[in-house]
């Protein structure tokens, strides 16, 4: 784990600049107002136009940045497909605007489209808020923090332009042909339920979205909408599947940080990272029963902002739930008070 396991193929470009990542593939790096301060968006060229891979956050600055790219880099050809890897607002954010702008459908997986539509809808009867409050109460989150996190329930709607009412579905194994090159749709699970990437065996390139990232571990979280989900199992299965499916020397174009090689090393490191976290958490449970809130301070350093905290809590719960599923811990749901994880 000490030696760098991946090799970056580029220095980090400035925001808004367009880099040729490979023949017929442009890479745009745009800023994000989060701890993770940027996103990579890609454009694939064909004879007749461009396929956009992810759209950026739904804020006015991102749309303006896209207009500058469209004016300067499309060579007079239109955008002909808007492909979104998953529902997170930094990827789906401009999908509504961009599909309107070019008169196109949104291309994504069915699950990602459904979740985006669900989260962008109005919480008319307040049930989403109530589910969120219950989730944080069961997790043992203190009232002052819980009220901040619950307010974030509507955050998704603020991060996206209106999610299109109709879409064009892609599913695992489908092939999209762009400029005579076949790109296979690869579903990765864990970070999002049906995250879609694109792999070309011929070009030996994988557009990985957030499913695999070179530096940070993609967030694997349990969320209020499915409090007993087991996304870490999904993610570990995806790591195995990707190892079999794509070669070690594939060039990876990810949605964060920079294009890299060392794919199988990265897959192995991510699996090892989670195995270690499971062990750390299991050992902490030997001392005393832990609430989900307690598990956060076992796995993460203090000083997180609310945005980071919601991801840290979700990720800590994902690890606790995996320990339960592996019979390494027991989940107790007392009649009163938060749920407790312990060694049994
Ligand atoms: Zn994401």
């Amino acid at each position: 784990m000490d030696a760098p396991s991946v090799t970056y193929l580029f220095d980090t470009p400035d925001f808004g600049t367009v880099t040729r990542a490979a023949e017929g593939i442009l890479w745009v790096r745009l800023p994000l107002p989060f701890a993770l301060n940027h996103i990579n968006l890609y454009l694939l060229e064909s004879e007749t136009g461009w396929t956009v891979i992810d759209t950026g956050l739904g804020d006015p600055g991102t749309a303006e940045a896209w207009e500058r790219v469209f004016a300067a880099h499309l060579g007079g050809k239109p955008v002909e497909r808007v492909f979104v890897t998953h529902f997170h607002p930094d990827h789906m954010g401009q999908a509504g605007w961009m599909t309107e702008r070019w008169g196109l459908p949104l291309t994504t997986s069915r699950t990602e489209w459904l979740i985006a539509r669900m989260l962008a809808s109005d919480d008319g009867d307040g049930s989403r808020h109530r589910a969120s409050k219950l989730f944080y109460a069961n997790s043992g989150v203190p009232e002052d923090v819980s009220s901040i996190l619950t307010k974030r329930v509507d955050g998704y709607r603020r991060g996206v332009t209106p999610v299109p009412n109709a879409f064009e579905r892609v599913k695992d194994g489908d092939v999209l042909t762009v400029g005579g090159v076949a790109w296979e749709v690869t579903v990765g699970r864990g970070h999002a339920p049906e995250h879609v990437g694109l792999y070309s065996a011929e070009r030996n390139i994988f557009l990985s979205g957030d499913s695999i990232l070179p530096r940070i571990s993609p967030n694997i979280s349990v969320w209020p909408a499915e409090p007993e989900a087991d996304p870490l199992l999904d993610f570990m299965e995806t790591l195995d599947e990707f190892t079999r499916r794509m070669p070690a020397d594939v060039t990876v174009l990810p949605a964060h940080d920079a294009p890299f090689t060392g794919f199988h090393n990265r897959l192995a490191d991510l699996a090892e990272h989670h195995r270690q976290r499971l062990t750390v958490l299991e050992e902490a449970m030997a001392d005393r029963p832990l609430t989900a809130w307690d598990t956060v301070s076992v796995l993460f350093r203090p000083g997180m902002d609310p945005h980071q905290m919601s991801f840290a809590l979700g990720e800590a719960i994902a690890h606790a739930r995996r320990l339960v599923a592996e019979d390494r811990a027991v989940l107790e749901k007392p009649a009163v008070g938060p749920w407790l994880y312990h060694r049994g």
Side-chain angles (χ1 to χ4, degrees), residues 86 88 90-91 191 210 256:
H86 64 300
H88 292 164
D90 47 336
H91 300 257
H191 179 68
D210 281 2
H256 303 286

Side-chain angles (χ1 to χ4, degrees), residues 9 285 299:
L9 302 173
M285 285 176 192
L299 295 177

Side-chain angles (χ1 to χ4, degrees), residues 168-185:
E168 189 172 82
R169 181 190 181 192
V170 286
K171 57 186 190 304
D172 195 60
D174 284 355
V175 174
L176 300 182
T177 303
V178 184
V181 175
W183 292 89
E184 182 185 331
V185 175

